[in-house]
Amino acid sequence: MLPSPFAFERPSTIADAVSAVGESGDGMFYSGGTELLLAMKLRVIHTDRLIDIKGIPGLDRIVLNDANDIEIGARCTHNKIASDPVIREHVLALSSLCANVANVRVRSVGTIGGNLCFGEPHADPPTMLAALDARLVLNGPGGTRVVHADDFIRSELETVREPDELLTVIVFPRPTGPVTYRRFKHGERPSVNVAMAWSLAAGGRTIRSARVRVGALGSRPQPLKAIEDVIQGISVSEVRPAIEAVLPTALGELEVNEDRHGGADYKRHLAGVLLLRNAEEAIAAAGNA
Amino acid sequence: MSATDNMSSVRPDLIEKVTGRAEYVTDLTIPGMLHGFVVRSPAIHARIVTIDTSAARSMDGVLDVLIGEDVASFGCWGVVLKDRPILATDRVRYVGEPVAVVIAETIEIAQNAAELVDVEYDELPRATTIHEAIAEDAPLIHERHENLEDFYFKGGARPTQNSNIFHTYRNNVGDVDAAEAAAAYIHEDRFTFPAISHFAMEPHAVIADFQGDSLTVWAGAQTPTAVQKVLSRLYGLQLAKIRVIVPFVGGGFGGKASVKIEPLVAAASWKVQRPVRIAQSMAESMLTCRRLGADITIRTAVDAKGRILAKSAKLLLDGGAYSDTGSAVATKSANRIMGPYVVPNLRLEACAVYTNTVPGAAFRSIGGPQAVWAKESHMDNVAAAIGMDPAEFRLLNLVSRGERIRPDLRPLDMDMSDLMGRVTRSFASEVQASNRQARGLAVAATDPANTPISNAIIRLKIDGSILVSVSSIEVGQGAHATMGRIAAQTLKQPTSAVTVLRTDTAVAPYDWGTGASRSTVVVGLSVESAALDAADQILEMVADVWELPRENLSLVEGGVSTGSEVLTFHQIFHRALGVDSGEVIGRGAITPRSKKGALVESPLFWETSAGLAEIVVDEDTGEIHVPRYASAADVGRVINRIAAEGQDEGAAIMGLGHALYEVLEFEDGQPINATPIDYSIPRISDVPPVLDTILVENGDGPGPGGAKGMGEGAILPVAPAIANALFSTYGIRITDLPMTPEKVWRALQKRN
Ligand SMILES: Cc1cc2nc3c(=O)[nH]c(=O)nc-3n(C[C@H](O)[C@H](O)[C@H](O)COP(=O)(O)OP(=O)(O)OC[C@H]3O[C@@H](n4cnc5c(N)ncnc54)[C@H](O)[C@@H]3O)c2cc1C
């Protein structure tokens, strides 16, 4: 099928892009188009105007800034993140996440910003970015605001972004401990995924704090508070029994949709499997550090 | 040799395809061509109350909107049962059924206008599964059944009036009851098999140009002569006035066999008297046809030594809303559930039933994957129940070469124990066996309906170039390259001298069609015989003009050797005809009476395969990995090794899709994953890293040089082989496909 007719603009500044979308929100930002064009062809999204953001310079930068934060431009493709030296050095798990998203065509044109803004629940980056405590920078007609990754996706296919706000950059603190990520998928998209980021105390044998997020089960990534709490402050060697002790309760608290990806009990179980596998990897990584 | 020459020597179409020059239906433009877009039923089973096309018609660029009423007077069509209207008229029987066609200047306009066609439906009671359809009080999906005997296949359907059963096939040998009474052990199992999409990369696309009493159709059709025949009957046109042109086809797998959307597109063109193109999306093609799902009960009785005494099977096939070739699929499923074992007493019953879902259709080895899934899983269950090794149990019961699987079928023409040995040795040759030996085996012997009817024309030109004209379709399998090779080899000319024409029924002689693993054998024989006829004529010419004894003459590259010299084709034609031009036309015809009646008995050859799978299961997630798979088939003789291996590898991976990923799901009749986004097929990363394809050649097939047909066998053993590995090592028996991680995990939970 073909999309219904639309106008096309290619602004070269953020401000022009924002104003081109228009207050009425009848225009839409167009990045890699891998979600958008598909939805337009299926006629589930209708828009009069596409605002191509590929002409705006600077939106595809990846840097470690002076504040020791990593900045990823919203226009970075999955491929770019996968092969970027800064990401590979500091968050290898994000690099391999992006190297395995979707298929080769989607990875070469699909962007991290497009992935986040689409708000698809069966996605990989949102889980990881929430575990990394990322902040998303939105530029709108009234200026700039910052939203935490945890708060960005509101519900299935819906984010807190206003139609005329452009996501420009994703910022997160350089990780100081092991970051691990696992997904389970049978088919195109992840059925469940788990990201875990530890920050280690000096000496590297004790966990100062941990962030654990489970994705794809509900409409957005969910924290596993009970797990975060139980491993905070304990020695790396005690992690596994500590997690196992609270795991059933922690998993029980997750909101889980029954869908084509499987029954709720199965997916909950998978989340536990992935979490424990992440923990094993993190324990090994901490041991090698 | 350059890379491109190298590719061309394998298959001349490869370069055309990788450079994008190869033409498919959607690459063609016919002067004056309009575009049609199909409005489809969102209802599962409903009466059409009204269709309002006025808004669509008033849109700029819309020429007309075709509805059922316009063409109701042409009546229904079918290839076995005459059950199908050109366009739904009073009633729709499945979600996706065509209800109207908007015909417009552009595809965009047609599609936009289609959203304005307003159809009011009044829901009818429905039967969306086999069991709903055969229930006592099931609503009838078709009120009457009209059989077309010998129309497409030999024979026809045996419908049960006033029921949804549109075909029943029975075959009984010996006395099953008596044998069971004497048996040491009886074991019964039930298996189910889902609907599966053909998922060809090229969806159905057809251009039709109706002009007065003649009709030209460009279609990606596997059986152009069947399309021609159905259109002729339906529209009352002479066969000679209907031309079906088939350019390259982007995959068929049976989904483009018999007749699909051609009558509909022809109707659209008839309505506007201009050429009309309908190019479906993949999602639309997923609503056009699919493999028949099945519910199979199978029972085996054995004696104390493990010899099979009797076997009975009841197969119920879900034929969807229109029968197409579902009756033949049912019959074949019964034939394919028997062997290759010695079964002295047999009781087979297969029924095809209508349901309110996408119509079932032929699909690579019709009825085969359903039957073999059940019978080979069952074999391991029986072996386990009597405490025998499954391979030994099979070896003990195999039919040997020359023995009959059933009295009415040709004796087995190969050694199944040899195939089993080959896949086993393939694994043994690997140095590093994985520590957990989870292996499963399955074998199959199927009887392709290869219909020995074909014609070929070969024209040998004065410059030594050769034109081959057949109705075989190049659907990606390499049939045309094979025909070219057979012509070249028979005429002793280089393959580069041969051109095989794309099929055009106005030029190509009659052939039954491309399917049932028949082309290399049946069409191949007709090409060989046409080549011999052409050779005969040119040799005769030399004998006559040069006054030489025929027996001294032979074809050589570029001409004819007289023994003492070589006369070029130029010299021959020039001297014989007096001018420097000309050609000879060789004709080859294969009928059931050819080869002194050797082609009469069915099947022409047995299509056989053995598969051995090694699997590793992640017991925490239920995910199955297949690190190794070996597939063996007896193909008689390999004509083009790369193409032949490609066929069997492709079939095995398609089988892997059936085994682990694929199911076209319906929820109360509503398709829920009929889009390429939601439907999963295996990817290259899912292909077993070690995939061994073994082709056994004994030169004993009925085709050219002893070839047998191939390309459908290797799909069969994959699913049961994997399931048998799961059973033997992990202690779980999965009885319905696909074996998804969740299903496996649940079975593992239950086992624990
Ligand atoms: C076949 C397939 C498989 C996939 N599999 C996976 C998978 O396994 N895991 C996974 O995580 N994802 C998967 N995806 C999703 C993929 O990651 C996204 O399609 C891609 O990243 C979207 O980026 P894009 O640039 O193409 O977005 P677009 O399609 O251009 O845009 C998507 C949406 O975001 C908006 N938008 C885009 N950029 C911005 C911006 N900077 N600011 C504001 N709004 C913006 C657009 O208006 C639109 O609404 C898959 C997609 C496909 C098609």
Side-chain angles (χ1 to χ4, degrees), chain A residues 1-2 4-5 38 42-43 102-103 184-188 260-263 265-266 269-270 273 277, chain B residues 37 107-108 111-112 115 618 620-621 623 660-661 665 672-673 677-678 680 683 740-742 745-746:
Chain A
M1 284 205 263
L2 293 166
S4 9
L38 203 62
L42 289 173
R43 303 199 163 194
N103 55 50
F184 182 80
K185 66 174 179 178
H186 182 72
E188 200 89 77
R260 290 186 27 74
H261 292 266
D265 59 336
Y266 175 56
H269 159 80
L270 287 178
V273 170
R277 289 180 182 179
Chain B
F37 190 84
I107 206 167
E108 292 85 351
Q111 195 184 342
N112 290 336
E115 291 185 355
D618 180 337
D620 288 331
T621 64
E623 194 173 37
L660 302 184
Y661 302 93
E665 286 179 81
I672 59 172
N673 66 338
I677 299 170
D678 297 318
S680 301
R683 302 161 170 234
T740 59
E742 182 172 10
W745 179 77
R746 290 197 188 281

Short mmCIF file of all heavy atoms in Angstrom, two decimals, chain A residues 1-2 4-5 38 42-43 102-103 184-188 260-263 265-266 269-270 273 277, chain B residues 37 107-108 111-112 115 618 620-621 623 660-661 665 672-673 677-678 680 683 740-742 745-746:
data_model
loop_
_atom_site.label_atom_id
_atom_site.label_comp_id
_atom_site.label_asym_id
_atom_site.label_seq_id
_atom_site.Cartn_x
_atom_site.Cartn_y
_atom_site.Cartn_z
N MET A 1 0.84 -1.20 0.00
CA MET A 1 0.00 0.00 0.00
C MET A 1 0.87 1.25 0.00
O MET A 1 2.03 1.21 0.37
CB MET A 1 -0.89 0.00 1.24
CG MET A 1 -2.05 -0.95 1.12
SD MET A 1 -3.40 -0.45 2.15
CE MET A 1 -3.14 -1.47 3.58
N LEU A 2 0.28 2.33 -0.38
CA LEU A 2 1.02 3.59 -0.40
C LEU A 2 0.41 4.54 0.62
O LEU A 2 -0.77 4.49 0.89
CB LEU A 2 0.90 4.23 -1.79
CG LEU A 2 1.59 3.47 -2.91
CD1 LEU A 2 1.13 3.98 -4.25
CD2 LEU A 2 3.10 3.59 -2.78
N SER A 4 -1.12 8.05 2.07
CA SER A 4 -1.86 9.12 1.41
C SER A 4 -0.91 10.30 1.18
O SER A 4 0.13 10.40 1.82
CB SER A 4 -3.07 9.54 2.24
OG SER A 4 -3.08 8.96 3.49
N PRO A 5 -1.25 11.17 0.25
CA PRO A 5 -0.32 12.24 -0.15
C PRO A 5 0.09 13.12 1.05
O PRO A 5 -0.70 13.35 1.95
CB PRO A 5 -1.12 13.05 -1.16
CG PRO A 5 -2.19 12.16 -1.63
CD PRO A 5 -2.50 11.23 -0.51
N LEU A 38 6.27 2.97 7.42
CA LEU A 38 5.53 1.71 7.47
C LEU A 38 4.10 1.96 7.96
O LEU A 38 3.12 1.48 7.38
CB LEU A 38 6.26 0.77 8.43
CG LEU A 38 6.06 -0.73 8.28
CD1 LEU A 38 6.53 -1.20 6.92
CD2 LEU A 38 6.84 -1.47 9.37
N LEU A 42 0.62 1.59 5.93
CA LEU A 42 -0.50 0.78 6.44
C LEU A 42 -1.70 1.65 6.78
O LEU A 42 -2.74 1.15 7.18
CB LEU A 42 -0.06 0.00 7.68
CG LEU A 42 0.91 -1.15 7.45
CD1 LEU A 42 1.39 -1.72 8.77
CD2 LEU A 42 0.28 -2.25 6.62
N ARG A 43 -1.50 2.94 6.65
CA ARG A 43 -2.55 3.93 6.89
C ARG A 43 -3.06 3.91 8.33
O ARG A 43 -4.23 4.13 8.59
CB ARG A 43 -3.69 3.75 5.89
CG ARG A 43 -3.13 3.86 4.47
CD ARG A 43 -4.17 4.16 3.46
NE ARG A 43 -3.51 4.64 2.24
CZ ARG A 43 -4.12 5.23 1.27
NH1 ARG A 43 -5.40 5.45 1.32
NH2 ARG A 43 -3.45 5.63 0.21
N ALA A 102 16.55 -5.25 15.45
CA ALA A 102 15.86 -5.38 14.17
C ALA A 102 16.70 -6.10 13.12
O ALA A 102 17.28 -7.14 13.39
CB ALA A 102 15.43 -4.01 13.67
N ASN A 103 16.78 -5.52 11.93
CA ASN A 103 17.54 -6.14 10.85
C ASN A 103 18.48 -5.11 10.26
O ASN A 103 18.44 -3.93 10.60
CB ASN A 103 16.59 -6.70 9.78
CG ASN A 103 15.63 -5.63 9.26
OD1 ASN A 103 16.06 -4.54 8.90
ND2 ASN A 103 14.35 -5.93 9.25
N PHE A 184 15.01 -11.43 25.07
CA PHE A 184 14.58 -12.70 24.51
C PHE A 184 13.62 -12.39 23.39
O PHE A 184 12.66 -11.62 23.58
CB PHE A 184 13.88 -13.59 25.55
CG PHE A 184 13.47 -14.90 24.96
CD1 PHE A 184 14.40 -15.91 24.81
CD2 PHE A 184 12.18 -15.10 24.49
CE1 PHE A 184 14.04 -17.12 24.22
CE2 PHE A 184 11.82 -16.30 23.88
CZ PHE A 184 12.76 -17.31 23.75
N LYS A 185 13.89 -12.93 22.24
CA LYS A 185 12.93 -12.73 21.16
C LYS A 185 12.79 -13.97 20.30
O LYS A 185 13.71 -14.74 20.14
CB LYS A 185 13.27 -11.51 20.32
CG LYS A 185 14.54 -11.58 19.54
CD LYS A 185 14.63 -10.33 18.65
CE LYS A 185 15.90 -10.32 17.82
NZ LYS A 185 15.95 -9.15 16.94
N HIS A 186 11.59 -14.15 19.79
CA HIS A 186 11.30 -15.24 18.86
C HIS A 186 10.45 -14.57 17.79
O HIS A 186 9.26 -14.41 17.95
CB HIS A 186 10.54 -16.35 19.57
CG HIS A 186 10.26 -17.53 18.67
ND1 HIS A 186 11.24 -18.39 18.27
CD2 HIS A 186 9.12 -17.97 18.09
CE1 HIS A 186 10.71 -19.32 17.50
NE2 HIS A 186 9.43 -19.09 17.36
N GLY A 187 11.12 -14.11 16.75
CA GLY A 187 10.42 -13.26 15.80
C GLY A 187 11.15 -11.93 15.77
O GLY A 187 12.30 -11.83 16.18
N GLU A 188 10.43 -10.92 15.31
CA GLU A 188 11.09 -9.66 15.03
C GLU A 188 11.53 -8.88 16.27
O GLU A 188 12.63 -8.39 16.36
CB GLU A 188 10.15 -8.80 14.20
CG GLU A 188 10.86 -7.70 13.44
CD GLU A 188 11.32 -8.16 12.07
OE1 GLU A 188 10.48 -8.26 11.17
OE2 GLU A 188 12.51 -8.42 11.92
N ARG A 260 0.85 -11.64 21.77
CA ARG A 260 1.39 -12.64 20.86
C ARG A 260 2.79 -13.10 21.28
O ARG A 260 3.30 -14.09 20.79
CB ARG A 260 1.43 -12.10 19.44
CG ARG A 260 0.04 -11.95 18.83
CD ARG A 260 0.07 -11.55 17.38
NE ARG A 260 1.28 -11.97 16.67
CZ ARG A 260 1.55 -13.21 16.32
NH1 ARG A 260 0.71 -14.17 16.55
NH2 ARG A 260 2.68 -13.48 15.69
N HIS A 261 3.42 -12.34 22.16
CA HIS A 261 4.75 -12.72 22.62
C HIS A 261 4.71 -13.75 23.73
O HIS A 261 5.75 -14.20 24.18
CB HIS A 261 5.52 -11.48 23.06
CG HIS A 261 5.86 -10.57 21.93
ND1 HIS A 261 7.07 -10.64 21.27
CD2 HIS A 261 5.16 -9.59 21.33
CE1 HIS A 261 7.09 -9.74 20.31
NE2 HIS A 261 5.95 -9.08 20.31
N GLY A 262 3.50 -14.08 24.22
CA GLY A 262 3.44 -15.15 25.21
C GLY A 262 2.56 -14.84 26.39
O GLY A 262 2.12 -13.70 26.59
N GLY A 263 2.31 -15.88 27.18
CA GLY A 263 1.50 -15.75 28.38
C GLY A 263 2.27 -14.99 29.46
O GLY A 263 3.49 -14.93 29.45
N ASP A 265 2.73 -15.60 32.69
CA ASP A 265 3.62 -16.38 33.57
C ASP A 265 4.93 -16.70 32.87
O ASP A 265 6.00 -16.63 33.46
CB ASP A 265 2.92 -17.67 34.03
CG ASP A 265 2.50 -18.56 32.86
OD1 ASP A 265 2.32 -18.04 31.74
OD2 ASP A 265 2.35 -19.78 33.07
N TYR A 266 4.84 -17.00 31.58
CA TYR A 266 6.04 -17.32 30.82
C TYR A 266 6.96 -16.11 30.73
O TYR A 266 8.17 -16.20 30.97
CB TYR A 266 5.64 -17.81 29.43
CG TYR A 266 6.79 -18.09 28.48
CD1 TYR A 266 7.81 -18.97 28.83
CD2 TYR A 266 6.84 -17.47 27.23
CE1 TYR A 266 8.86 -19.23 27.96
CE2 TYR A 266 7.88 -17.73 26.34
CZ TYR A 266 8.89 -18.61 26.72
OH TYR A 266 9.92 -18.87 25.85
N HIS A 269 8.59 -15.28 33.96
CA HIS A 269 9.67 -16.24 34.19
C HIS A 269 10.91 -15.85 33.36
O HIS A 269 12.04 -15.87 33.86
CB HIS A 269 9.18 -17.65 33.81
CG HIS A 269 10.28 -18.62 33.52
ND1 HIS A 269 10.98 -19.27 34.52
CD2 HIS A 269 10.83 -19.04 32.36
CE1 HIS A 269 11.90 -20.04 33.97
NE2 HIS A 269 11.83 -19.92 32.67
N LEU A 270 10.68 -15.48 32.09
CA LEU A 270 11.81 -15.11 31.24
C LEU A 270 12.55 -13.91 31.82
O LEU A 270 13.79 -13.84 31.76
CB LEU A 270 11.32 -14.77 29.82
CG LEU A 270 10.88 -15.92 28.93
CD1 LEU A 270 10.38 -15.39 27.58
CD2 LEU A 270 12.01 -16.92 28.70
N VAL A 273 14.90 -15.17 34.28
CA VAL A 273 16.04 -15.86 33.66
C VAL A 273 17.05 -14.84 33.14
O VAL A 273 18.26 -14.95 33.40
CB VAL A 273 15.54 -16.76 32.49
CG1 VAL A 273 16.72 -17.30 31.68
CG2 VAL A 273 14.67 -17.90 33.03
N ARG A 277 20.92 -14.12 34.42
CA ARG A 277 22.04 -14.22 33.47
C ARG A 277 22.82 -12.91 33.42
O ARG A 277 24.05 -12.90 33.31
CB ARG A 277 21.54 -14.62 32.08
CG ARG A 277 21.08 -16.07 32.06
CD ARG A 277 20.56 -16.52 30.71
NE ARG A 277 20.09 -17.90 30.79
CZ ARG A 277 19.56 -18.58 29.78
NH1 ARG A 277 19.44 -18.00 28.60
NH2 ARG A 277 19.17 -19.82 29.94
N PHE B 37 -7.83 -1.81 -7.18
CA PHE B 37 -7.55 -2.08 -5.77
C PHE B 37 -8.75 -2.81 -5.18
O PHE B 37 -9.90 -2.41 -5.39
CB PHE B 37 -7.26 -0.78 -5.01
CG PHE B 37 -6.74 -1.05 -3.61
CD1 PHE B 37 -5.40 -1.30 -3.40
CD2 PHE B 37 -7.60 -1.09 -2.53
CE1 PHE B 37 -4.91 -1.58 -2.13
CE2 PHE B 37 -7.12 -1.37 -1.25
CZ PHE B 37 -5.78 -1.61 -1.05
N ILE B 107 -2.74 3.81 -8.93
CA ILE B 107 -2.90 2.90 -7.80
C ILE B 107 -3.29 3.69 -6.55
O ILE B 107 -4.09 3.23 -5.74
CB ILE B 107 -1.57 2.12 -7.66
CG1 ILE B 107 -1.75 0.80 -7.01
CG2 ILE B 107 -0.52 2.90 -7.00
CD1 ILE B 107 -0.52 -0.06 -7.17
N GLU B 108 -2.73 4.91 -6.42
CA GLU B 108 -3.03 5.73 -5.24
C GLU B 108 -4.51 6.10 -5.21
O GLU B 108 -5.16 6.01 -4.18
CB GLU B 108 -2.21 7.04 -5.24
CG GLU B 108 -0.72 6.86 -5.04
CD GLU B 108 0.02 6.57 -6.35
OE1 GLU B 108 -0.63 6.32 -7.39
OE2 GLU B 108 1.27 6.55 -6.32
N GLN B 111 -6.65 3.14 -4.38
CA GLN B 111 -6.58 2.78 -2.96
C GLN B 111 -7.34 3.79 -2.10
O GLN B 111 -8.05 3.40 -1.16
CB GLN B 111 -5.12 2.71 -2.54
CG GLN B 111 -4.95 2.00 -1.23
CD GLN B 111 -3.53 2.01 -0.74
OE1 GLN B 111 -2.60 2.25 -1.51
NE2 GLN B 111 -3.35 1.76 0.54
N ASN B 112 -7.19 5.05 -2.42
CA ASN B 112 -7.91 6.07 -1.63
C ASN B 112 -9.42 5.91 -1.80
O ASN B 112 -10.18 6.02 -0.84
CB ASN B 112 -7.48 7.48 -2.04
CG ASN B 112 -6.06 7.76 -1.58
OD1 ASN B 112 -5.57 7.16 -0.63
ND2 ASN B 112 -5.38 8.67 -2.27
N GLU B 115 -11.27 3.17 0.18
CA GLU B 115 -11.68 3.45 1.56
C GLU B 115 -13.09 4.03 1.62
O GLU B 115 -13.70 4.07 2.68
CB GLU B 115 -10.67 4.40 2.23
CG GLU B 115 -9.32 3.71 2.45
CD GLU B 115 -8.30 4.55 3.23
OE1 GLU B 115 -8.60 5.72 3.54
OE2 GLU B 115 -7.22 4.01 3.51
N ASP B 618 17.53 -24.45 25.18
CA ASP B 618 17.76 -23.63 26.36
C ASP B 618 16.58 -23.93 27.29
O ASP B 618 15.46 -23.46 27.07
CB ASP B 618 17.78 -22.16 25.95
CG ASP B 618 18.02 -21.24 27.15
OD1 ASP B 618 17.74 -21.65 28.29
OD2 ASP B 618 18.48 -20.10 26.92
N ASP B 620 15.77 -23.03 30.13
CA ASP B 620 15.19 -21.92 30.88
C ASP B 620 14.18 -21.13 30.05
O ASP B 620 13.25 -20.54 30.59
CB ASP B 620 16.29 -20.95 31.34
CG ASP B 620 17.11 -21.57 32.46
OD1 ASP B 620 16.56 -22.38 33.22
OD2 ASP B 620 18.31 -21.23 32.55
N THR B 621 14.42 -21.09 28.74
CA THR B 621 13.53 -20.28 27.89
C THR B 621 12.68 -21.14 26.96
O THR B 621 11.70 -20.65 26.41
CB THR B 621 14.35 -19.32 27.01
OG1 THR B 621 15.16 -20.11 26.13
CG2 THR B 621 15.24 -18.42 27.85
N GLU B 623 13.82 -22.27 24.17
CA GLU B 623 14.23 -22.02 22.78
C GLU B 623 15.05 -23.19 22.22
O GLU B 623 15.95 -23.70 22.88
CB GLU B 623 15.05 -20.74 22.72
CG GLU B 623 15.22 -20.24 21.31
CD GLU B 623 15.88 -18.87 21.27
OE1 GLU B 623 16.78 -18.60 22.10
OE2 GLU B 623 15.49 -18.06 20.42
N LEU B 660 9.52 -24.40 13.62
CA LEU B 660 9.79 -23.54 14.78
C LEU B 660 9.06 -22.20 14.78
O LEU B 660 8.91 -21.59 15.84
CB LEU B 660 11.29 -23.28 14.90
CG LEU B 660 12.20 -24.51 15.02
CD1 LEU B 660 13.65 -24.07 15.21
CD2 LEU B 660 11.77 -25.42 16.16
N TYR B 661 8.64 -21.69 13.63
CA TYR B 661 8.19 -20.31 13.61
C TYR B 661 6.77 -20.08 13.09
O TYR B 661 6.08 -19.20 13.57
CB TYR B 661 9.12 -19.46 12.72
CG TYR B 661 10.55 -19.49 13.17
CD1 TYR B 661 11.44 -20.41 12.64
CD2 TYR B 661 11.00 -18.62 14.15
CE1 TYR B 661 12.76 -20.45 13.07
CE2 TYR B 661 12.31 -18.66 14.59
CZ TYR B 661 13.19 -19.58 14.03
OH TYR B 661 14.48 -19.62 14.48
N GLU B 665 -2.35 -17.38 12.06
CA GLU B 665 -3.29 -17.55 13.18
C GLU B 665 -4.63 -16.91 12.92
O GLU B 665 -4.71 -15.80 12.37
CB GLU B 665 -2.70 -16.91 14.44
CG GLU B 665 -1.59 -17.72 15.07
CD GLU B 665 -1.04 -17.02 16.30
OE1 GLU B 665 -1.66 -17.14 17.37
OE2 GLU B 665 0.00 -16.34 16.17
N ILE B 672 -4.97 -12.92 12.66
CA ILE B 672 -4.36 -11.99 13.58
C ILE B 672 -2.88 -11.70 13.30
O ILE B 672 -2.32 -10.79 13.88
CB ILE B 672 -4.56 -12.38 15.06
CG1 ILE B 672 -3.97 -13.75 15.33
CG2 ILE B 672 -6.04 -12.37 15.43
CD1 ILE B 672 -4.00 -14.07 16.82
N ASN B 673 -2.29 -12.45 12.41
CA ASN B 673 -0.90 -12.11 12.08
C ASN B 673 -0.64 -12.16 10.58
O ASN B 673 0.46 -12.45 10.14
CB ASN B 673 0.07 -13.03 12.83
CG ASN B 673 -0.04 -14.48 12.37
OD1 ASN B 673 -1.06 -14.88 11.82
ND2 ASN B 673 0.99 -15.26 12.61
N ILE B 677 4.75 -8.14 9.01
CA ILE B 677 5.32 -7.61 10.27
C ILE B 677 5.11 -8.61 11.40
O ILE B 677 5.98 -8.82 12.23
CB ILE B 677 4.65 -6.26 10.62
CG1 ILE B 677 4.93 -5.25 9.51
CG2 ILE B 677 5.16 -5.74 11.96
CD1 ILE B 677 4.13 -3.97 9.64
N ASP B 678 3.95 -9.24 11.42
CA ASP B 678 3.63 -10.11 12.54
C ASP B 678 3.91 -11.58 12.28
O ASP B 678 3.86 -12.39 13.20
CB ASP B 678 2.14 -9.95 12.91
CG ASP B 678 1.83 -8.55 13.37
OD1 ASP B 678 2.65 -8.00 14.13
OD2 ASP B 678 0.79 -7.98 12.97
N SER B 680 6.25 -14.67 11.39
CA SER B 680 7.70 -14.95 11.49
C SER B 680 8.12 -16.08 10.57
O SER B 680 7.51 -17.14 10.58
CB SER B 680 8.07 -15.37 12.91
OG SER B 680 7.73 -14.37 13.82
N ARG B 683 15.23 -16.67 9.60
CA ARG B 683 16.19 -15.79 8.92
C ARG B 683 17.47 -16.55 8.70
O ARG B 683 17.67 -17.61 9.26
CB ARG B 683 16.54 -14.61 9.81
CG ARG B 683 15.38 -13.83 10.23
CD ARG B 683 15.81 -13.05 11.44
NE ARG B 683 14.78 -12.11 11.73
CZ ARG B 683 14.99 -10.81 11.86
NH1 ARG B 683 16.19 -10.31 11.77
NH2 ARG B 683 14.00 -10.01 12.10
N THR B 740 7.25 -23.46 19.38
CA THR B 740 7.74 -22.18 19.87
C THR B 740 8.41 -22.36 21.23
O THR B 740 8.12 -23.33 21.94
CB THR B 740 6.58 -21.19 20.04
OG1 THR B 740 5.66 -21.75 20.98
CG2 THR B 740 5.86 -20.93 18.73
N PRO B 741 9.26 -21.41 21.61
CA PRO B 741 9.91 -21.52 22.92
C PRO B 741 8.88 -21.66 24.04
O PRO B 741 9.07 -22.46 24.96
CB PRO B 741 10.68 -20.21 23.04
CG PRO B 741 10.93 -19.77 21.64
CD PRO B 741 9.75 -20.26 20.84
N GLU B 742 7.81 -20.91 23.97
CA GLU B 742 6.83 -20.97 25.06
C GLU B 742 6.22 -22.36 25.16
O GLU B 742 6.05 -22.90 26.25
CB GLU B 742 5.73 -19.92 24.85
CG GLU B 742 4.72 -19.93 25.99
CD GLU B 742 3.72 -18.79 25.92
OE1 GLU B 742 3.67 -18.10 24.89
OE2 GLU B 742 2.99 -18.60 26.92
N TRP B 745 8.79 -24.67 26.60
CA TRP B 745 8.98 -24.37 28.03
C TRP B 745 7.82 -24.95 28.86
O TRP B 745 8.05 -25.58 29.88
CB TRP B 745 9.08 -22.86 28.22
CG TRP B 745 9.24 -22.47 29.67
CD1 TRP B 745 10.37 -22.55 30.42
CD2 TRP B 745 8.21 -21.93 30.53
NE1 TRP B 745 10.12 -22.10 31.69
CE2 TRP B 745 8.81 -21.72 31.80
CE3 TRP B 745 6.87 -21.61 30.35
CZ2 TRP B 745 8.09 -21.20 32.88
CZ3 TRP B 745 6.16 -21.09 31.42
CH2 TRP B 745 6.76 -20.90 32.68
N ARG B 746 6.62 -24.77 28.36
CA ARG B 746 5.47 -25.30 29.10
C ARG B 746 5.52 -26.81 29.19
O ARG B 746 5.21 -27.40 30.22
CB ARG B 746 4.16 -24.84 28.48
CG ARG B 746 3.92 -23.35 28.67
CD ARG B 746 2.49 -22.90 28.44
NE ARG B 746 2.44 -21.44 28.46
CZ ARG B 746 2.45 -20.70 29.58
NH1 ARG B 746 2.48 -21.27 30.76
NH2 ARG B 746 2.45 -19.38 29.50
#
